C-alpha cells in the first residue's frame, strides 16, 4: 500500500475545504510582547500578535523569567524522569501547594499540559469509579471529550450552558449511579461564561461530582486569579477544578485541584500522569512566581479589562460585528474557511497583524472566525491600527461578503 498517497490525498482534501493549517513562524521578542519577529517572507519583519493565549503577557514578566533562569542555575534543564522515578523536584511540590491555595483546595496535582490534565483526570474518574455516568456540556473542549471517550464510562451530553437540560438529564440517570458533571467556566471560542451557580445547584441536587475546567479563566478572574469559581465565591462547592499554566500564567503545564483523596486517586491511577516525564523544575518555579504575583496584583487584570472594553467599543463604533460575550475573547465571525484564511494572510502581510484563522475542527463548519485576545500590553495605538485594518477590509467588502 502507498501510505504517502493516502496521507497526501487526505491533506489535499483539507486544502480544498480551506481547513489545512499553516503555522505562522514567529520569534517572540523578550520584553516586547505583543511584538514578534516574523519569518514569513511575504510579511513584515515585525508583527503584532493578536491571538495569543498568554493573556496577560506573564510569559515575559521579568520576575517570571528570572525565576526560570534561577531555577535552571540551581537544578539544570530537565526534571530527570517521571514524577514516580526521580522526577519529583521540590519546585513541583511548592507549585502544587500554591495551586491548592489558589483554589482553596486541600491538594493539587501537576500535569505536562492542560490537555493532558483533562484527558488523564476524566479518563481515570470515568474508568475507576464503578458505573460512573459523565454528563458533559455539548461544547466541552476536545481534551475533555477524549478523556470521557477513553474512560468508556456512560456519557450523557447536555445542552450548552443549560442548567434545566442538565437537571432533566440527571433526573433520567439511575439515582444510585455515581454522576460527574463536566463543564467549563469560559468557553474559548465563543467567549461565553457558564451559569456556574445554577449548574452547581443542579449537580448538588442530584449528589453529582462537579468537574470544572477553568483553563481560560485562571489568572484573569477573581480577586486573586482563581477563576470564575473564585469570582462567584463557589470554589468550595466544586469537587475538582482543573486549570492550565500555559495561558494567563504564561508558562506551560496543567493541573487539577481538589481533596487530598481525589488528587491522590488521580496520581495513583492516571496513566497520563504516571508514565510521562515531569515538567522541568524551571517551568514549575516560573509558574509559581507568576501565580504568586497575580494573587497579589490586580494591575494586569484591570488593564486587561480596559483593553478588551476599548477594542469592543472601537469595533462597535466602526460597525465591525463581533460576537457579544462577557469575557476577554473577541470573535469576529467570517463563516467561511477560505475567506478566513485569506483575511488572516492579508492582515499579516499588509498590516503586520497576526491573528490565526479558527477553522474546523476547532469550531463547527460554517462558524469560522478570527479570534482576537487583547492583552494589557497592547497599546491604544495597537488597537487603533487593528481597527483601521478591519475597517479597511470592510470598506473593500472582503469581510462583509464573507459574513453575509
Amino acid at each position: 500500500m502507498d501510505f504517502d498517497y493516502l496521507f497526501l490525498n487526505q491533506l489535499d482534501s483539507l486544502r480544498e475545504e480551506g481547513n489545512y493549517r499553516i503555522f505562522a513562524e514567529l520569534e517572540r521578542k523578550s520584553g516586547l510582547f505583543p511584538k514578534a519577529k516574523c519569518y514569513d517572507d511575504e510579511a513584515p519583519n515585525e508583527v503584532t500578535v493578536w491571538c495569543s493565549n498568554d493573556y496577560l503577557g506573564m510569559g515575559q514578566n521579568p520576575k517570571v523569567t528570572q525565576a526560570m533562569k534561577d531555577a535552571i542555575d540551581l537544578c539544570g534543564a530537565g526534571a530527570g524522569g517521571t514524577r514516580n522515578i526521580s522526577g519529583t523536584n521540590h519546585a513541583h511540590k511548592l507549585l502544587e501547594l500554591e495551586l491548592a491555595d489558589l483554589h482553596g483546595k486541600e491538594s493539587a496535582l501537576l500535569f505536562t499540559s492542560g490537555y493532558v490534565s483533562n484527558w488523564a483526570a476524566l479518563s481515570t474518574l470515568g474508568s475507576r469509579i464503578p458505573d460512573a455516568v459523565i454528563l458533559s456540556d455539548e461544547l466541552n473542549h476536545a481534551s475533555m471529550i477524549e478523556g470521557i471517550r477513553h474512560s468508556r464510562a456512560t456519557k450523557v451530553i447536555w445542552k450548552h450552558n443549560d442548567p434545566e437540560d442538565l437537571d432533566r438529564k440527571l433526573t433520567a440517570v439511575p439515582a444510585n449511579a455515581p454522576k460527574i458533571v463536566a463543564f467549563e467556566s469560559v468557553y474559548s471560542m465563543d467567549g461565553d461564561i457558564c451559569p456556574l451557580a445554577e449548574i452547581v445547584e443542579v449537580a448538588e441536587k442530584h449528589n453529582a461530582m462537579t468537574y470544572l475546567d477553568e483553563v481560560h479563566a485562571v489568572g484573569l478572574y477573581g480577586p486573586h486569579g482563581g477563576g470564575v469559581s473564585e469570582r462567584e465565591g463557589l470554589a468550595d462547592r466544586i469537587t475538582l477544578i482543573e486549570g492550565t499554566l500555559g495561558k494567563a500564567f504564561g508558562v506551560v503545564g496543567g493541573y487539577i485541584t481538589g481533596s487530598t483523596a481525589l488528587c491522590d486517586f488521580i496520581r495513583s491511577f492516571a496513566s497520563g500522569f504516571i508514565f510521562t516525564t515531569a515538567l522541568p523544575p524551571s517551568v514549575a518555579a516560573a509558574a509559581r512566581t507568576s501565580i504568586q504575583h497575580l494573587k497579589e496584583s490586580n494591575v494586569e487584570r484591570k488593564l486587561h479589562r480596559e483593553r478588551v472594553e476599548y477594542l469592543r467599543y472601537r469595533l462597535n463604533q466602526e460597525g465591525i460585528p463581533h460576537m457579544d460575550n462577557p469575557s476577554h475573547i473577541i470573535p469576529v465571525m467570517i463563516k467561511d474557511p477560505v475567506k478566513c484564511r485569506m483575511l488572516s494572510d492579508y492582515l499579516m502581510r499588509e498590516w503586520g497583524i497576526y491573528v490565526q484563522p479558527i477553522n474546523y475542527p476547532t469550531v463547527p463548519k460554517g462558524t469560522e472566525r478570527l479570534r482576537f485576545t487583547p492583552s494589557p500590553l497592547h497599546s491604544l495605538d495597537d488597537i487603533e491600527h487593528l481597527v483601521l485594518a478591519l475597517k479597511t477590509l470592510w470598506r473593500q467588502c472582503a469581510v462583509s461578503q464573507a459574513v453575509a
Side-chain angles (χ1 to χ4, degrees):
M1 178 177 286
D2 187 343
F3 287 102
D4 277 353
Y5 174 79
L6 185 152
F7 302 148
L8 292 170
N9 188 50
Q10 294 193 37
L11 289 170
D12 286 342
S13 295
L14 269 184
R15 290 186 179 92
E16 290 171 8
E17 296 166 359
N19 290 321
Y20 181 76
R21 299 183 181 211
I22 300 169
F23 297 159
E25 186 179 350
L26 305 177
E27 186 173 276
R28 281 158 61 98
K29 294 187 174 183
S30 183
L32 295 176
F33 182 82
K35 306 301 180 185
K37 181 178 180 180
C38 181
Y39 284 86
D40 184 341
D41 291 337
E42 298 181 42
N45 183 59
E46 181 181 89
V47 298
T48 302
V49 179
W50 274 101
C51 55
S52 175
N53 285 338
D54 186 0
Y55 292 132
L56 299 177
M58 292 300 292
Q60 299 188 30
N61 179 284
K63 292 197 296 186
V64 173
T65 56
Q66 189 60 50
M68 183 173 281
K69 293 173 187 176
D70 291 344
I72 288 176
D73 289 341
L74 182 67
C75 304
T82 66
R83 288 290 297 273
N84 182 50
I85 304 176
S86 84
T88 294
N89 190 276
H90 186 53
H92 297 125
K93 299 302 293 183
L94 292 176
L95 176 54
E96 286 172 340
L97 289 171
E98 201 70 54
L99 288 164
D101 179 73
L102 175 67
H103 294 292
K105 299 298 185 186
E106 292 177 348
S107 189
L109 189 67
L110 283 173
F111 291 84
T112 51
S113 73
Y115 189 102
V116 173
S117 56
N118 267 334
W119 180 87
L122 281 166
S123 63
T124 302
L125 291 168
S127 63
R128 300 291 306 190
I129 299 175
D131 304 316
V133 178
I134 303 178
L135 296 100
S136 176
D137 184 289
E138 66 180 339
L139 292 188
N140 275 343
H141 190 262
S143 58
M144 302 174 78
I145 294 169
E146 284 298 317
I148 295 166
R149 180 182 294 131
H150 186 76
S151 77
R152 299 185 179 179
T154 300
K155 177 180 68 174
V156 176
I157 305 297
W158 49 285
K159 293 178 183 177
H160 178 55
N161 280 348
D162 189 337
E164 292 183 0
D165 188 57
L166 174 62
D167 190 25
R168 286 190 292 269
K169 299 290 173 61
L170 280 166
T171 300
V173 174
N176 61 344
K179 294 170 279 290
I180 303 169
V181 176
F183 59 108
E184 302 179 41
S185 57
V186 178
Y187 287 82
S188 62
M189 290 299 117
D190 289 351
D192 52 336
I193 297 178
C194 75
L196 187 57
E198 291 91 335
I199 292 171
V200 169
E201 287 168 6
V202 169
E204 289 176 344
K205 171 184 170 184
H206 294 274
N207 195 30
M209 173 189 292
T210 41
Y211 184 110
L212 176 63
D213 176 319
E214 288 262 40
V215 160
H216 290 273
V218 290
L220 299 174
Y221 299 90
H224 304 98
V228 174
S229 56
E230 184 195 22
R231 186 186 72 178
E232 304 298 320
L234 294 167
D236 62 319
R237 294 169 64 184
I238 307 292
T239 313
L240 184 154
I241 297 175
E242 182 267 351
T244 185
L245 305 170
K247 293 185 170 57
F249 293 131
V251 194
V252 67
Y255 64 88
I256 62 166
T257 64
S259 69
T260 300
L262 170 59
C263 292
D264 197 22
F265 179 78
I266 302 297
R267 181 189 71 88
S268 300
F269 293 110
S271 62
F273 175 83
I274 295 169
F275 297 107
T276 191
T277 300
L279 288 171
S282 57
V283 168
R288 179 171 173 246
T289 299
S290 181
I291 294 164
Q292 288 176 327
H293 175 82
L294 291 174
K295 278 181 177 178
E296 302 299 325
S297 173
N298 270 309
V299 173
E300 293 82 4
R301 284 188 285 273
K302 181 176 182 295
L303 188 53
H304 181 238
R305 288 193 297 270
E306 291 174 0
R307 291 294 187 260
V308 171
E309 290 169 5
Y310 185 69
L311 177 55
R312 288 189 187 278
Y313 166 73
R314 290 292 290 118
L315 292 175
N316 287 336
Q317 273 193 324
E318 300 299 341
I320 299 168
H322 54 94
M323 189 177 289
D324 187 30
N325 64 54
S327 78
H328 57 285
I329 295 163
I330 304 178
V332 172
M333 305 301 290
I334 307 303
K335 303 180 182 179
D336 180 280
V338 175
K339 289 177 180 176
C340 202
R341 173 81 260 172
M342 176 192 71
L343 293 170
S344 172
D345 290 343
Y346 188 83
L347 286 167
M348 174 83 98
R349 293 168 185 175
E350 301 298 324
W351 294 86
I353 291 168
Y354 171 50
V355 57
Q356 185 72 6
I358 306 295
N359 294 344
Y360 178 83
T362 305
V363 295
K365 291 180 179 180
T367 69
E368 293 81 10
R369 67 200 64 186
L370 300 176
R371 174 184 177 271
F372 295 95
T373 54
S375 80
L377 300 180
H378 283 89
S379 68
L380 296 181
D381 286 343
D382 290 332
I383 293 176
E384 292 300 333
H385 183 66
L386 171 62
V387 171
L388 176 60
L390 292 174
K391 179 181 176 181
T392 302
L393 288 173
W394 240 256
R395 284 180 173 173
Q396 294 174 349
C397 297
V399 179
S400 60
Q401 289 175 6
V403 300

